[in-house]
Amino acid sequence: VAKQAGKNCYHLFDTAKDSAIHSHRKNIDDIYSALALDQFVLHYQPKVNMHSGAVIGVEALIRWQHPVRGLVPPLAFLPVIEEHVVSLELGEWVIDTALTQIKQWRLIGLNLPISVNISAYQLQQTNFTTRLAALLAAHPEVPANFLELEILESSALHDTNQVSETMTACHQLGVSFALDDFGTGYSSLTYLKRLPAHLIKIDQSFVRDMLEDADDLAIVKGVVGLAKAFQRQVIAEGVETPKHGKALLQLGCELAQGYGIARPMPGNEIVQWITTWKTAGSWLE
Ligand code: C2E
Ligand code: MG
Ligand code: MG
Ligand code: MG
C-alpha cells in the first residue's frame, strides 16, 4: 500500500522540478563515473618570487578531461556538486593526486610545494583532519609542509571557531593555509583576524585593474599593508603583465601568480617550464 501511495505521490511532482531533480542526479552520477574512469586531471600554475626569481610552489587546479566536451574547467562542474558527498570524494582525489605529484617531483630532485583548493563544505566535515592525516600517512615520503590548502572566504564558513580549530589541528600535522580571493567576501577582516592562514591571496579582480583604477590600486595597497600588519605573507593573483609585476613589487608584494608568468599546465610540463624560467633572466625587464 505504501508503495502504491508513493507511486501516486510521484505523479504529483510538477514536471519542471522533476526533471531538475533528474538532471542533478545525472550530474552527480557523471562525476562518480568520471572518477571511476580517471577522467580528472590536475594542472599546475607556478607561483614565483618576482624579486628573487624563485619558484616557490604551484597551485593545483582541477580539470575534467571529458571524452566529448574536451577539457572542462572547474567552475563548469564544481558548483553543480557543491555540498554533495561526491564533492568530498573528488576533494580527496585532488589531495591524493597532489601528494603523488610532490613525490614524483622529489624523486627527480625538484622540491616543489603544492597548494590545493578546498571547499568550505570539505573543511567543515568533522572528520576533515582525520582524513587529511590518513592521506598524508599514505604518502610517508612527502613532508606535510609541502602541502598548502587554499580556502575561499565565503559565507559558507559559518562557524569560524570550529574552522579555526580545524585549521590549527591541520597546522599541527604540518599543513598550512592560504586565504584565496581575499577581499571579495563579506567578512575578510574577520577571517583575517580569526583564521590561522599564513598567506593571503589578493583577488585577481583587484590586480587586473590596479594600473587603471585608483580604487583597485588602493585595495591592493591596503591588502599588502594588512598582510604586513598581521605578519602574513601576501601573493598577487592574476598577474598578467610585467607592468603589473613592477607595480606590485613597488608596493612591497613580491609573490605573484598569473598568466603573465605562466598558465596552469600539466604536471609533466612543469619541469621544462622551470628550466626555461630560470634561464630566461628577469621576467620584469
Ligand atoms: P582560484 O583558486 O582563485 O584559481 C585561480 C583561477 O584563475 C584559475 O582558474 C586560474 O586558471 C585562473 N588564473 C590564473 N592566472 C590568471 C590570470 O592571470 N588571468 C586570469 N584571467 N585568470 C587567471 P580555474 O583553473 O578555472 O579555477 C577556477 C576556480 O575553481 C579556482 O579559483 C578555485 O576556486 C576552483 N578550483 C579549481 N580547482 C579546484 C579544486 O581542485 N578544488 C576546489 N574545491 N576548487 C577548485
Ligand atoms: Mg586558489
Ligand atoms: Mg583565487
Ligand atoms: Mg577564484
Side-chain angles (χ1 to χ4, degrees):
V1 176
K3 205 175 174 190
Q4 201 67 39
K7 262 188 187 163
N8 289 339
C9 284
Y10 186 81
H11 290 293
L12 294 176
F13 274 108
D14 72 87
T15 39
K17 190 178 168 196
D18 200 30
S19 75
I21 290 168
H22 273 94
S23 85
H24 183 63
R25 184 65 240 173
K26 186 179 181 314
N27 286 328
I28 303 289
D29 288 346
D30 284 350
I31 300 294
Y32 276 118
S33 67
L35 265 169
L37 294 168
D38 207 19
Q39 289 176 346
F40 292 105
V41 288
L42 294 184
H43 282 192
Y44 299 91
Q45 186 179 36
K47 305 192 286 183
V48 304
N49 181 315
M50 296 184 288
H51 181 69
S52 67
V55 180
I56 59 164
V58 293
E59 176 177 5
L61 296 155
I62 196 170
R63 278 97 181 81
W64 181 0
Q65 187 64 69
H66 193 282
V68 179
R69 293 159 72 193
L71 202 61
V72 184
L75 296 180
F77 61 91
L78 289 183
V80 181
I81 61 165
E82 215 171 66
E83 313 235 324
H84 188 280
V85 63
V86 74
S87 73
L88 301 175
E89 219 170 290
L90 190 56
E92 292 208 357
W93 178 87
V94 174
I95 295 174
D96 190 53
T97 305
L99 291 171
T100 303
Q101 181 65 78
I102 293 170
K103 179 175 74 188
Q104 285 167 351
W105 280 333
R106 278 167 64 84
L107 283 175
I108 55 167
L110 180 59
N111 289 312
L112 209 51
I114 296 183
S115 40
V116 162
N117 294 280
I118 57 165
S119 69
Y121 180 65
Q122 199 178 347
L123 181 65
Q124 287 175 120
Q125 297 300 306
T126 48
N127 65 351
F128 181 79
T129 314
T130 319
R131 293 300 308 149
L132 182 63
L135 288 163
L136 288 165
H139 297 273
E141 321 84 346
V142 177
N145 64 359
F146 273 60
L147 182 67
E148 177 179 82
L149 301 176
E150 297 192 3
I151 54 169
L152 291 169
E153 39 147 353
S154 83
S155 49
L157 287 182
H158 20 74
D159 185 352
T160 43
N161 280 331
Q162 190 219 319
V163 167
S164 162
E165 272 172 32
T166 304
M167 288 170 70
T168 303
C170 294
H171 223 261
Q172 276 155 6
L173 297 173
V175 175
S176 60
F177 285 85
L179 292 179
D180 206 352
D181 297 5
F182 188 80
T184 59
Y186 295 105
S187 41
S188 308
L189 298 183
T190 306
Y191 287 131
L192 179 59
K193 181 181 159 194
R194 301 186 61 175
L195 301 182
H198 83 113
L199 178 71
I200 298 176
K201 304 192 79 175
I202 309 175
D203 188 65
Q204 55 189 39
S205 61
F206 307 125
V207 175
R208 184 184 55 225
D209 297 331
M210 66 181 280
L211 300 176
E212 297 86 32
D213 187 324
D215 291 341
D216 286 320
L217 182 64
I219 290 174
V220 172
K221 249 187 209 167
V223 175
V224 173
L226 268 176
K228 294 250 146 79
F230 280 80
Q231 292 172 303
R232 314 293 173 90
Q233 285 194 289
V234 63
I235 184 166
E237 295 192 82
V239 178
E240 298 195 346
T241 70
K243 239 180 151 182
H244 288 87
K246 277 182 195 151
L248 285 159
L249 264 184
Q250 268 166 14
L251 296 178
C253 179
E254 294 186 344
L255 308 182
Q257 182 181 354
Y259 292 169
I261 298 158
R263 289 192 172 249
M265 63 191 94
N268 60 6
E269 289 175 21
I270 284 287
V271 180
Q272 180 59 48
W273 180 84
I274 289 179
T275 311
T276 313
W277 171 258
K278 279 185 180 157
T279 53
S282 176
W283 170 69
L284 295 171
E285 297 318 320

